[in-house]
Amino acid sequence: MKIYDMQLDPVLHHYALHLDASPDYRVLRRLPRVEELWMRSSPNGPDITLGIIDTETSGLGPDAKIIEIAVRRMELVDGQLADLSPPISMLEDPGEPLSPQITRITGLTDEDLAGQRFNEELLAHSLGKCDALVAFNARFDAGHLRRRFPGIRHPWICAQRDYDWSANGHQGRGQQGLVEEMGWFYPPHRAAADIEALAIMIAMHAKDGRAIAAHMIERAQRTDARIAARDAPFAVKDLLKARNYRWNAERRIWTIDCDAADVDAEIAALARISPMIRPGMTEIDWYNRHVS
């Protein structure tokens, strides 16, 4: 069931339908505009307000500086989209030249950023109205934002990891691929365009008729256990990868998140992989799950 009504040129739409009917073609439509979305209102206000956020950085590593931030607020009522605020977008000069790779990815140049500074008061005002923040790759954005703005202490939701896209019939793993699976296209790699695509994507209905965002919230609010494979020998890295452990480059340790009921089994598995591993456990929730 659609929750939008795209205003398409009737002639072009006619041809697109004919192409779609052929197994040799697949037609992508532009991303729906906010005014084309159907929203549920409530006299009591929203149940939860999410801050859809994205950053562009001067590099791909943890020490890169944020050069662009975009945020828009999403309100949900009874698991349905109730409102999407206009986005705010801002730039900042990193104080060093951009690499050709970053200019190629983002389209931003040194001239675009020269003399620019983030409006921290506006950003704080916008985020102050949010109950939680959502990014497609929350680990990346949360890390950079907390380093740049230590006062940001919101819970985080990761759109990539806090919803089982594969189990719900999606093959893509990146945001652009998932958007294209839904039949749309948009210009990626600028923060404002990315948050618009993410907001509309997670506002769509899941199989039970609720917004995908509602499922993400439920998953993110769970309390899990993070198992650390301390002192794991280099020789067992492939065995850890096979069990879906992730390498934390900053802490230089392999970790995995699991249900609290599975902790004993996971620790036993580490003992079988190597007696040198000293398992450690940390309780995690949506405040620290995606923050290193």
Side-chain angles (χ1 to χ4, degrees):
M1 178 175 61
K2 291 184 178 180
I3 65 164
Y4 59 92
D5 186 13
M6 295 183 70
Q7 301 161 14
L8 301 173
D9 182 293
V11 175
L12 296 179
H13 184 56
H14 171 77
Y15 289 122
L17 289 176
H18 277 278
L19 287 171
D20 271 340
S22 167
D24 297 322
Y25 295 91
R26 181 173 178 233
V27 179
L28 298 180
R29 278 80 172 174
R30 62 163 173 76
L31 196 73
R33 300 187 182 100
V34 173
E35 60 268 23
E36 295 170 336
L37 299 176
W38 304 342
M39 301 192 191
R40 172 173 295 183
S41 61
S42 170
N44 300 319
D47 297 329
I48 189 169
T49 299
L50 303 176
I52 313 301
I53 193 165
D54 186 60
T55 62
E56 302 296 340
T57 59
S58 62
L60 303 179
D63 297 329
K65 297 177 181 178
I66 302 174
I67 57 176
E68 184 177 29
I69 299 172
V71 183
R72 78 185 309 162
R73 293 189 299 275
M74 169 188 281
E75 296 181 355
L76 296 179
V77 171
D78 295 331
Q80 305 289 348
L81 177 65
D83 190 32
L84 273 175
S85 72
I88 63 169
S89 181
M90 52 188 75
L91 302 173
E92 182 161 272
D93 188 340
E96 58 193 30
L98 297 180
S99 69
Q101 179 188 23
I102 295 302
T103 294
R104 184 172 63 253
I105 291 173
T106 66
L108 291 168
T109 66
D110 294 331
E111 290 74 21
D112 295 326
L113 301 177
Q116 297 284 341
R117 291 289 293 175
F118 293 140
N119 185 333
E120 297 191 27
E121 184 177 349
L122 175 61
L123 181 63
H125 175 74
S126 182
L127 297 185
K129 298 182 178 181
C130 300
D131 299 305
L133 303 182
V134 184
F136 187 76
N137 181 0
R139 185 174 293 270
F140 178 87
D141 292 290
H144 285 292
L145 284 164
R146 284 199 170 187
R147 280 187 287 273
R148 175 62 178 82
F149 305 102
I152 294 179
R153 285 292 180 261
H154 291 68
W156 279 87
I157 299 171
C158 181
Q160 185 179 37
R161 297 185 177 276
D162 288 329
Y163 183 69
D164 195 337
W165 294 99
S166 178
N168 285 279
H170 297 275
Q171 301 301 315
R173 299 189 63 181
Q175 178 172 311
Q176 187 175 4
L178 289 167
V179 169
E180 289 178 356
E181 280 188 38
M182 293 180 172
W184 305 318
F185 67 89
Y186 76 102
H189 301 309
R190 284 298 300 272
D194 282 341
I195 62 167
E196 181 175 8
L198 178 56
I200 292 174
M201 181 172 70
I202 67 174
M204 294 298 109
H205 286 163
K207 292 177 182 177
D208 65 354
R210 294 186 301 152
I212 291 172
H215 290 264
M216 291 179 176
I217 293 166
E218 286 184 356
R219 175 62 187 88
Q221 288 179 321
R222 285 175 44 184
T223 298
D224 294 322
R226 176 164 293 163
I227 305 298
R230 297 177 301 193
D231 297 337
F234 179 79
V236 303
K237 64 180 180 64
D238 290 335
L239 296 176
L240 293 172
K241 285 182 181 179
R243 291 195 64 83
N244 296 317
Y245 277 76
R246 298 173 61 197
W247 175 248
N248 185 315
E250 290 186 54
R251 297 178 56 208
R252 301 191 60 80
I253 198 168
W254 291 95
T255 64
I256 191 173
D257 295 350
C258 66
D259 188 278
D262 298 328
V263 168
D264 290 344
E266 194 58 47
I267 291 177
L270 288 178
R272 291 192 295 272
I273 289 174
S274 171
M276 296 176 62
I277 295 175
R278 296 187 302 110
M281 189 191 78
T282 305
E283 188 176 89
I284 56 169
D285 56 23
W286 64 344
Y287 284 94
N288 62 1
R289 180 176 289 112
H290 305 298
V291 180
S292 297

